[in-house]
PDB file of all heavy atoms in Angstrom:
ATOM      1  N   LYS H 119     -25.052  40.778  51.142  1.00  0.00           N
ATOM      2  CA  LYS H 119     -24.029  39.730  51.100  1.00  0.00           C
ATOM      3  C   LYS H 119     -24.567  38.513  51.860  1.00  0.00           C
ATOM      4  O   LYS H 119     -24.978  38.628  53.014  1.00  0.00           O
ATOM      5  CB  LYS H 119     -22.747  40.238  51.742  1.00  0.00           C
ATOM      6  CG  LYS H 119     -21.570  39.385  51.424  1.00  0.00           C
ATOM      7  CD  LYS H 119     -20.300  40.190  51.602  1.00  0.00           C
ATOM      8  CE  LYS H 119     -19.132  39.308  51.301  1.00  0.00           C
ATOM      9  NZ  LYS H 119     -18.340  39.687  50.228  1.00  0.00           N
ATOM     10  N   ILE H 120     -24.590  37.381  51.181  1.00  0.00           N
ATOM     11  CA  ILE H 120     -25.100  36.150  51.794  1.00  0.00           C
ATOM     12  C   ILE H 120     -23.932  35.296  52.273  1.00  0.00           C
ATOM     13  O   ILE H 120     -22.808  35.438  51.776  1.00  0.00           O
ATOM     14  CB  ILE H 120     -25.993  35.364  50.812  1.00  0.00           C
ATOM     15  CG1 ILE H 120     -25.196  34.916  49.588  1.00  0.00           C
ATOM     16  CG2 ILE H 120     -27.215  36.176  50.418  1.00  0.00           C
ATOM     17  CD1 ILE H 120     -25.938  33.980  48.663  1.00  0.00           C
ATOM     18  N   PRO H 121     -24.174  34.395  53.218  1.00  0.00           N
ATOM     19  CA  PRO H 121     -23.105  33.515  53.691  1.00  0.00           C
ATOM     20  C   PRO H 121     -22.530  32.656  52.558  1.00  0.00           C
ATOM     21  O   PRO H 121     -23.266  32.218  51.660  1.00  0.00           O
ATOM     22  CB  PRO H 121     -23.803  32.642  54.743  1.00  0.00           C
ATOM     23  CG  PRO H 121     -24.951  33.477  55.221  1.00  0.00           C
ATOM     24  CD  PRO H 121     -25.400  34.244  53.997  1.00  0.00           C
ATOM     25  N   GLN H 122     -21.232  32.399  52.615  1.00  0.00           N
ATOM     26  CA  GLN H 122     -20.511  31.627  51.597  1.00  0.00           C
ATOM     27  C   GLN H 122     -21.090  30.228  51.392  1.00  0.00           C
ATOM     28  O   GLN H 122     -20.993  29.677  50.306  1.00  0.00           O
ATOM     29  CB  GLN H 122     -19.036  31.495  51.975  1.00  0.00           C
ATOM     30  CG  GLN H 122     -18.240  32.756  51.757  1.00  0.00           C
ATOM     31  CD  GLN H 122     -17.928  32.969  50.299  1.00  0.00           C
ATOM     32  OE1 GLN H 122     -18.721  33.558  49.576  1.00  0.00           O
ATOM     33  NE2 GLN H 122     -16.793  32.508  49.864  1.00  0.00           N
ATOM     34  N   LYS H 123     -21.668  29.662  52.435  1.00  0.00           N
ATOM     35  CA  LYS H 123     -22.161  28.280  52.325  1.00  0.00           C
ATOM     36  C   LYS H 123     -23.181  28.107  51.199  1.00  0.00           C
ATOM     37  O   LYS H 123     -23.336  27.021  50.664  1.00  0.00           O
ATOM     38  CB  LYS H 123     -22.732  27.788  53.641  1.00  0.00           C
ATOM     39  CG  LYS H 123     -24.091  28.347  54.008  1.00  0.00           C
ATOM     40  CD  LYS H 123     -24.585  27.719  55.306  1.00  0.00           C
ATOM     41  CE  LYS H 123     -26.062  27.922  55.493  1.00  0.00           C
ATOM     42  NZ  LYS H 123     -26.555  27.144  56.631  1.00  0.00           N
ATOM     43  N   TYR H 124     -23.867  29.174  50.816  1.00  0.00           N
ATOM     44  CA  TYR H 124     -24.883  29.086  49.771  1.00  0.00           C
ATOM     45  C   TYR H 124     -24.297  29.070  48.358  1.00  0.00           C
ATOM     46  O   TYR H 124     -25.030  28.925  47.395  1.00  0.00           O
ATOM     47  CB  TYR H 124     -25.897  30.224  49.900  1.00  0.00           C
ATOM     48  CG  TYR H 124     -26.707  30.132  51.161  1.00  0.00           C
ATOM     49  CD1 TYR H 124     -26.624  31.109  52.144  1.00  0.00           C
ATOM     50  CD2 TYR H 124     -27.556  29.049  51.388  1.00  0.00           C
ATOM     51  CE1 TYR H 124     -27.364  31.026  53.307  1.00  0.00           C
ATOM     52  CE2 TYR H 124     -28.302  28.950  52.551  1.00  0.00           C
ATOM     53  CZ  TYR H 124     -28.201  29.937  53.504  1.00  0.00           C
ATOM     54  OH  TYR H 124     -28.938  29.831  54.654  1.00  0.00           O
ATOM     55  N   HIS H 125     -22.971  29.187  48.237  1.00  0.00           N
ATOM     56  CA  HIS H 125     -22.321  29.230  46.926  1.00  0.00           C
ATOM     57  C   HIS H 125     -21.953  27.847  46.387  1.00  0.00           C
ATOM     58  O   HIS H 125     -21.460  27.752  45.265  1.00  0.00           O
ATOM     59  CB  HIS H 125     -21.060  30.096  46.982  1.00  0.00           C
ATOM     60  CG  HIS H 125     -21.348  31.536  47.284  1.00  0.00           C
ATOM     61  ND1 HIS H 125     -21.624  32.451  46.302  1.00  0.00           N
ATOM     62  CD2 HIS H 125     -21.422  32.201  48.458  1.00  0.00           C
ATOM     63  CE1 HIS H 125     -21.844  33.632  46.859  1.00  0.00           C
ATOM     64  NE2 HIS H 125     -21.733  33.499  48.166  1.00  0.00           N
ATOM     65  N   ARG H 126     -22.188  26.790  47.166  1.00  0.00           N
ATOM     66  CA  ARG H 126     -21.841  25.434  46.718  1.00  0.00           C
ATOM     67  C   ARG H 126     -22.961  24.463  47.077  1.00  0.00           C
ATOM     68  O   ARG H 126     -23.534  24.539  48.161  1.00  0.00           O
ATOM     69  CB  ARG H 126     -20.541  24.978  47.382  1.00  0.00           C
ATOM     70  CG  ARG H 126     -19.361  25.860  46.992  1.00  0.00           C
ATOM     71  CD  ARG H 126     -18.051  25.381  47.548  1.00  0.00           C
ATOM     72  NE  ARG H 126     -17.799  24.017  47.106  1.00  0.00           N
ATOM     73  CZ  ARG H 126     -17.154  23.128  47.840  1.00  0.00           C
ATOM     74  NH1 ARG H 126     -16.686  23.433  49.005  1.00  0.00           N
ATOM     75  NH2 ARG H 126     -16.962  21.903  47.381  1.00  0.00           N
ATOM     76  N   ALA H 127     -23.243  23.541  46.185  1.00  0.00           N
ATOM     77  CA  ALA H 127     -24.300  22.548  46.421  1.00  0.00           C
ATOM     78  C   ALA H 127     -23.979  21.684  47.640  1.00  0.00           C
ATOM     79  O   ALA H 127     -24.882  21.301  48.383  1.00  0.00           O
ATOM     80  CB  ALA H 127     -24.482  21.671  45.187  1.00  0.00           C
ATOM     81  N   GLU H 128     -22.694  21.411  47.865  1.00  0.00           N
ATOM     82  CA  GLU H 128     -22.294  20.532  48.969  1.00  0.00           C
ATOM     83  C   GLU H 128     -22.487  21.181  50.334  1.00  0.00           C
ATOM     84  O   GLU H 128     -22.568  20.486  51.345  1.00  0.00           O
ATOM     85  CB  GLU H 128     -20.819  20.111  48.831  1.00  0.00           C
ATOM     86  CG  GLU H 128     -20.495  19.363  47.562  1.00  0.00           C
ATOM     87  CD  GLU H 128     -20.283  20.282  46.359  1.00  0.00           C
ATOM     88  OE1 GLU H 128     -19.993  21.481  46.541  1.00  0.00           O
ATOM     89  OE2 GLU H 128     -20.399  19.793  45.233  1.00  0.00           O
ATOM     90  N   THR H 129     -22.535  22.493  50.397  1.00  0.00           N
ATOM     91  CA  THR H 129     -22.611  23.175  51.693  1.00  0.00           C
ATOM     92  C   THR H 129     -23.886  23.985  51.901  1.00  0.00           C
ATOM     93  O   THR H 129     -24.160  24.415  53.017  1.00  0.00           O
ATOM     94  CB  THR H 129     -21.408  24.114  51.878  1.00  0.00           C
ATOM     95  OG1 THR H 129     -21.387  25.079  50.808  1.00  0.00           O
ATOM     96  CG2 THR H 129     -20.096  23.342  51.897  1.00  0.00           C
ATOM     97  N   SER H 130     -24.668  24.201  50.868  1.00  0.00           N
ATOM     98  CA  SER H 130     -25.826  25.100  50.997  1.00  0.00           C
ATOM     99  C   SER H 130     -26.926  24.544  51.886  1.00  0.00           C
ATOM    100  O   SER H 130     -27.684  25.306  52.483  1.00  0.00           O
ATOM    101  CB  SER H 130     -26.415  25.422  49.626  1.00  0.00           C
ATOM    102  OG  SER H 130     -27.184  24.351  49.146  1.00  0.00           O
ATOM    103  N   GLU H 131     -27.047  23.230  51.951  1.00  0.00           N
ATOM    104  CA  GLU H 131     -28.114  22.559  52.693  1.00  0.00           C
ATOM    105  C   GLU H 131     -29.505  22.890  52.158  1.00  0.00           C
ATOM    106  O   GLU H 131     -30.508  22.657  52.812  1.00  0.00           O
ATOM    107  CB  GLU H 131     -28.028  22.884  54.196  1.00  0.00           C
ATOM    108  CG  GLU H 131     -26.726  22.453  54.824  1.00  0.00           C
ATOM    109  CD  GLU H 131     -26.590  22.864  56.281  1.00  0.00           C
ATOM    110  OE1 GLU H 131     -27.476  23.588  56.806  1.00  0.00           O
ATOM    111  OE2 GLU H 131     -25.600  22.469  56.892  1.00  0.00           O
ATOM    112  N   LEU H 132     -29.550  23.457  50.945  1.00  0.00           N
ATOM    113  CA  LEU H 132     -30.833  23.777  50.317  1.00  0.00           C
ATOM    114  C   LEU H 132     -31.263  22.602  49.440  1.00  0.00           C
ATOM    115  O   LEU H 132     -30.540  22.197  48.531  1.00  0.00           O
ATOM    116  CB  LEU H 132     -30.717  25.037  49.461  1.00  0.00           C
ATOM    117  CG  LEU H 132     -30.372  26.327  50.187  1.00  0.00           C
ATOM    118  CD1 LEU H 132     -30.094  27.444  49.177  1.00  0.00           C
ATOM    119  CD2 LEU H 132     -31.492  26.731  51.125  1.00  0.00           C
ATOM    120  N   VAL H 133     -32.429  22.072  49.712  1.00  0.00           N
ATOM    121  CA  VAL H 133     -32.989  20.975  48.929  1.00  0.00           C
ATOM    122  C   VAL H 133     -34.428  21.357  48.594  1.00  0.00           C
ATOM    123  O   VAL H 133     -35.192  21.753  49.470  1.00  0.00           O
ATOM    124  CB  VAL H 133     -32.952  19.644  49.710  1.00  0.00           C
ATOM    125  CG1 VAL H 133     -33.592  18.530  48.901  1.00  0.00           C
ATOM    126  CG2 VAL H 133     -31.521  19.282  50.078  1.00  0.00           C
ATOM    127  N   VAL H 134     -34.766  21.271  47.306  1.00  0.00           N
ATOM    128  CA  VAL H 134     -36.090  21.675  46.847  1.00  0.00           C
ATOM    129  C   VAL H 134     -36.688  20.557  45.997  1.00  0.00           C
ATOM    130  O   VAL H 134     -36.009  19.979  45.152  1.00  0.00           O
ATOM    131  CB  VAL H 134     -36.010  22.983  46.025  1.00  0.00           C
ATOM    132  CG1 VAL H 134     -37.355  23.331  45.420  1.00  0.00           C
ATOM    133  CG2 VAL H 134     -35.491  24.122  46.888  1.00  0.00           C
ATOM    134  N   GLU H 135     -37.952  20.284  46.230  1.00  0.00           N
ATOM    135  CA  GLU H 135     -38.684  19.282  45.448  1.00  0.00           C
ATOM    136  C   GLU H 135     -39.468  19.978  44.347  1.00  0.00           C
ATOM    137  O   GLU H 135     -40.250  20.894  44.622  1.00  0.00           O
ATOM    138  CB  GLU H 135     -39.640  18.511  46.367  1.00  0.00           C
ATOM    139  CG  GLU H 135     -40.398  17.406  45.680  1.00  0.00           C
ATOM    140  CD  GLU H 135     -39.542  16.204  45.342  1.00  0.00           C
ATOM    141  OE1 GLU H 135     -38.519  15.978  46.006  1.00  0.00           O
ATOM    142  OE2 GLU H 135     -39.904  15.496  44.382  1.00  0.00           O
ATOM    143  N   ILE H 136     -39.261  19.542  43.110  1.00  0.00           N
ATOM    144  CA  ILE H 136     -40.050  20.049  41.989  1.00  0.00           C
ATOM    145  C   ILE H 136     -41.053  18.958  41.619  1.00  0.00           C
ATOM    146  O   ILE H 136     -40.665  17.859  41.226  1.00  0.00           O
ATOM    147  CB  ILE H 136     -39.161  20.433  40.789  1.00  0.00           C
ATOM    148  CG1 ILE H 136     -38.238  21.568  41.198  1.00  0.00           C
ATOM    149  CG2 ILE H 136     -40.029  20.808  39.583  1.00  0.00           C
ATOM    150  CD1 ILE H 136     -37.369  22.123  40.122  1.00  0.00           C
ATOM    151  N   PRO H 137     -42.348  19.246  41.784  1.00  0.00           N
ATOM    152  CA  PRO H 137     -43.368  18.227  41.520  1.00  0.00           C
ATOM    153  C   PRO H 137     -43.488  17.880  40.044  1.00  0.00           C
ATOM    154  O   PRO H 137     -43.123  18.679  39.172  1.00  0.00           O
ATOM    155  CB  PRO H 137     -44.657  18.869  42.042  1.00  0.00           C
ATOM    156  CG  PRO H 137     -44.403  20.328  42.116  1.00  0.00           C
ATOM    157  CD  PRO H 137     -42.915  20.518  42.239  1.00  0.00           C
ATOM    158  N   LYS H 138     -44.019  16.701  39.757  1.00  0.00           N
ATOM    159  CA  LYS H 138     -44.168  16.232  38.376  1.00  0.00           C
ATOM    160  C   LYS H 138     -45.028  17.160  37.531  1.00  0.00           C
ATOM    161  O   LYS H 138     -44.870  17.224  36.334  1.00  0.00           O
ATOM    162  CB  LYS H 138     -44.751  14.822  38.354  1.00  0.00           C
ATOM    163  CG  LYS H 138     -43.789  13.785  38.853  1.00  0.00           C
ATOM    164  CD  LYS H 138     -44.380  12.397  38.793  1.00  0.00           C
ATOM    165  CE  LYS H 138     -43.365  11.388  39.322  1.00  0.00           C
ATOM    166  NZ  LYS H 138     -43.853  10.033  39.295  1.00  0.00           N
ATOM    167  N   GLY H 139     -45.936  17.888  38.156  1.00  0.00           N
ATOM    168  CA  GLY H 139     -46.793  18.809  37.424  1.00  0.00           C
ATOM    169  C   GLY H 139     -46.204  20.207  37.281  1.00  0.00           C
ATOM    170  O   GLY H 139     -46.816  21.079  36.690  1.00  0.00           O
ATOM    171  N   GLY H 140     -45.007  20.419  37.836  1.00  0.00           N
ATOM    172  CA  GLY H 140     -44.378  21.728  37.785  1.00  0.00           C
ATOM    173  C   GLY H 140     -44.912  22.641  38.877  1.00  0.00           C
ATOM    174  O   GLY H 140     -45.848  22.287  39.606  1.00  0.00           O
TER     175      GLY H 140
END
Side-chain angles (χ1 to χ4, degrees):
K119 195 158 179 118
I120 63 172
Q122 285 284 87
K123 75 177 197 171
Y124 295 116
H125 296 272
R126 297 184 57 213
E128 300 81 21
T129 59
S130 77
E131 300 176 355
L132 297 172
V133 178
V134 174
E135 183 73 25
I136 297 184
K138 290 181 181 180

